[in-house]
C-alpha cells in the first residue's frame, strides 16, 4: 500500500463563495472528502499546515512549510 502525505496550506482549493459572492477561505480541508476516491491501494494522509490565501504566503510561512517538509 502506498502512503501519500498532502500538506494543506489553504489557497484556492479551500475557498468558497458566500451569499454575496465574496470568496473567503473555508474552515476545512476539502481534500479530506476524497479519501475514498483513491481506493484501497493508497492511504491518503492530510495535514493542515496553515489555511491562508496564496497572497498571504509570506517568507515566514514559506520557511514554516520548508521546515515541515
Amino acid at each position: 500500500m502506498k502512503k501519500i502525505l498532502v500538506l494543506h496550506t489553504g489557497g484556492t482549493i479551500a475557498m468558497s463563495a458566500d451569499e454575496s459572492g465574496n470568496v473567503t477561505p473555508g474552515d476545512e480541508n476539502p481534500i479530506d472528502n476524497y479519501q475514498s476516491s483513491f481506493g484501497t491501494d493508497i492511504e491518503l494522509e492530510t495535514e493542515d499546515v496553515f489555511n491562508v490565501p496564496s497572497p498571504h504566503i509570506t517568507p515566514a510561512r514559506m520557511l514554516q512549510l520548508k521546515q515541515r517538509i
Side-chain angles (χ1 to χ4, degrees):
M1 174 181 291
K2 293 183 181 184
K3 186 172 185 178
I4 298 173
L5 172 63
V6 178
L7 299 175
H8 181 251
T9 59
T12 305
I13 195 168
M15 299 181 103
S16 60
D18 62 17
E19 301 81 34
S20 303
N22 297 316
V23 178
T24 58
D27 290 333
E28 70 178 54
N29 180 344
I31 297 171
D32 290 340
N33 299 324
Y34 293 98
Q35 174 67 39
S36 61
S37 300
F38 295 98
T40 58
D41 293 340
I42 295 175
E43 179 184 346
L44 185 65
E45 181 179 333
T46 62
E47 180 180 320
D48 296 331
V49 180
F50 40 82
N51 187 12
V52 297
S54 299
H56 296 173
I57 303 290
T58 62
R61 294 238 189 238
M62 290 178 203
L63 180 59
Q64 180 184 359
L65 183 58
K66 175 195 171 283
Q67 290 170 334
R68 174 55 190 98
I69 292 170

